[in-house]
Amino acid sequence: MKFTKMHGIGNDYVYMDCTRDRLENPGEIARLVSDRHKGIGSDGLILIQSSDEADFEMAMYNADGSYGKMCGNGIRCVAKYVYDNGLTDKTEISVISGGAVKYLKLTVENGKVKKVRVNMGEPILKPSEIPVVGEGDKLVAAPIVVDNQVYEMTCVSMGNPHAVVFMDGVDDLKIEEIGPKFEQHERFPDRVNTEFVERMDRKNLKMRVWERGSGETMACGTGACATAVAAILNGCAEREVTVHLLGGDLEIQWDETDNCVYMTGAAATAFTGEFDPEELRSSVEDR
């Protein structure tokens, strides 16, 4: 099976062209290729498929094999893949993922996509639609008890659920300890991605993220969007901000005119290769 390893500011996935043939058992393949010691190594698997509703369809699977509806960094890489590999010659395309269509503008230099701007759509704030257990039309700076400590969270869905927690000293946070406890908390029926965010000023936010099904990642595009929305709802950021992640920066705008969130960032190809799923299965499962 042929693959391409790509990343959006360090949020890395294995990408496969499935525009002609569907991949069997994608969840299992995701788990195998994601293993960083005996597999290819990635935050998950993304399949690029044909679609009747958009130019392309993105099917995203986390490192544990679970399905994800949206990946902001991943969708930028999909745009780069389809353009750089000649699947399209358009610099404005649509991609459907998890039933939602996103619209992307590609910045091309020397025949290759360098940067992509994505209309990520309107943020979802209603608790039952995120989903998160809570009352009211939105949860802003709402208390939550995790590991016997009270945190304040602002909950946003950008196609997947996010709990944004503002704090100081995110560099020193033991995210591997607290992240899973948020992810598996009883208030999140479908688990949750958690962003731990430090306010730098009204135009800059520093963020670390614990992604459901993958653990801490270098970056999360939907998480950066949710973080910007949460900061604005809490009155501590402008409508356009730069979110600084471990892997790099994302420019996020929550437009007042259409209520949509726009994300701009880089996309890069690391390498291409082939793998035998049976050999990979034997390698990963031989522990």
Side-chain angles (χ1 to χ4, degrees):
M1 292 184 173
K2 295 182 178 180
F3 72 90
T4 300
K5 177 75 175 290
M6 306 181 75
H7 72 90
I9 60 169
N11 193 193
D12 60 335
Y13 288 85
V14 170
Y15 292 77
M16 297 181 66
D17 180 359
C18 296
T19 53
R20 295 183 179 178
D21 299 304
R22 293 277 172 167
L23 179 69
E24 297 294 329
N25 303 315
E28 181 191 16
I29 297 297
R31 183 178 58 81
L32 296 174
V33 300
S34 298
D35 190 295
R36 294 192 180 274
H37 298 286
K38 296 185 177 181
I40 297 167
S42 67
D43 291 327
L45 172 71
I46 289 180
L47 309 181
I48 301 166
Q49 302 174 161
S50 300
S51 173
D52 295 329
E53 302 170 78
D55 293 313
F56 298 95
E57 180 176 359
M58 177 179 83
M60 173 260 189
Y61 295 85
N62 296 306
D64 66 354
S66 59
Y67 175 74
K69 290 184 178 180
M70 174 50 60
C71 175
N73 291 313
I75 202 169
R76 295 200 315 276
C77 290
V78 167
K80 177 175 176 62
Y81 184 102
V82 297
Y83 186 92
D84 289 3
N85 288 281
L87 299 182
T88 185
D89 59 1
K90 299 192 296 184
T91 56
E92 295 190 14
I93 65 170
S94 59
V95 178
I96 188 170
S97 180
V101 178
K102 307 298 182 187
Y103 299 92
L104 300 84
K105 292 185 178 181
L106 288 55
T107 298
V108 179
E109 297 178 9
N110 300 318
K112 301 289 185 181
V113 172
K114 296 298 182 183
K115 188 165 64 173
V116 181
R117 184 173 192 257
V118 187
N119 180 345
M120 296 292 288
E122 297 186 26
I124 297 168
L125 303 177
K126 188 175 180 180
S128 62
E129 296 178 5
I130 291 175
V132 55
V133 176
E135 298 179 354
D137 58 348
K138 56 180 174 288
L139 293 178
V140 177
I144 181 173
V145 179
V146 180
D147 200 23
N148 297 317
Q149 182 174 341
V150 179
Y151 295 86
E152 289 186 348
M153 66 176 181
T154 298
C155 295
V156 181
S157 173
M158 295 301 310
N160 50 4
H162 295 271
V164 181
V165 178
F166 293 98
M167 61 171 53
D168 295 324
V170 294
D171 290 338
D172 299 323
L173 177 69
K174 295 181 179 179
I175 196 170
E176 69 282 354
E177 295 179 8
I178 193 64
K181 294 175 181 179
F182 268 91
E183 178 183 355
Q184 302 290 345
H185 197 281
E186 60 185 6
R187 291 187 64 181
F188 306 108
D190 294 337
R191 298 186 293 168
V192 75
N193 304 284
T194 309
E195 286 71 39
F196 301 94
V197 183
E198 185 170 342
R199 306 173 182 91
M200 301 171 70
D201 55 46
R202 292 188 62 83
K203 291 189 175 182
N204 292 274
L205 302 165
K206 182 188 291 187
M207 175 187 126
R208 290 178 67 186
V209 58
W210 183 269
E211 293 197 56
R212 59 175 182 173
S214 293
E216 183 176 22
T217 60
M218 296 288 287
C220 176
T222 56
C225 293
T227 289
V229 170
I232 294 165
L233 290 174
N234 280 275
C236 59
E238 304 295 334
R239 284 276 172 169
E240 294 186 42
V241 299
T242 299
V243 181
H244 304 273
L245 307 103
L246 294 179
D249 299 342
L250 289 174
E251 300 167 21
I252 310 294
Q253 177 190 11
W254 187 11
D255 196 316
E256 288 182 280
T257 58
D258 61 7
N259 197 40
C260 290
V261 180
Y262 293 85
M263 172 189 61
T264 303
T269 298
F271 58 87
T272 61
E274 298 181 359
F275 69 90
D276 182 323
E278 291 304 320
E279 280 194 20
L280 190 57
R281 184 178 291 107
S282 298
S283 173
V284 172
E285 294 180 349
D286 179 21
R287 297 183 182 277

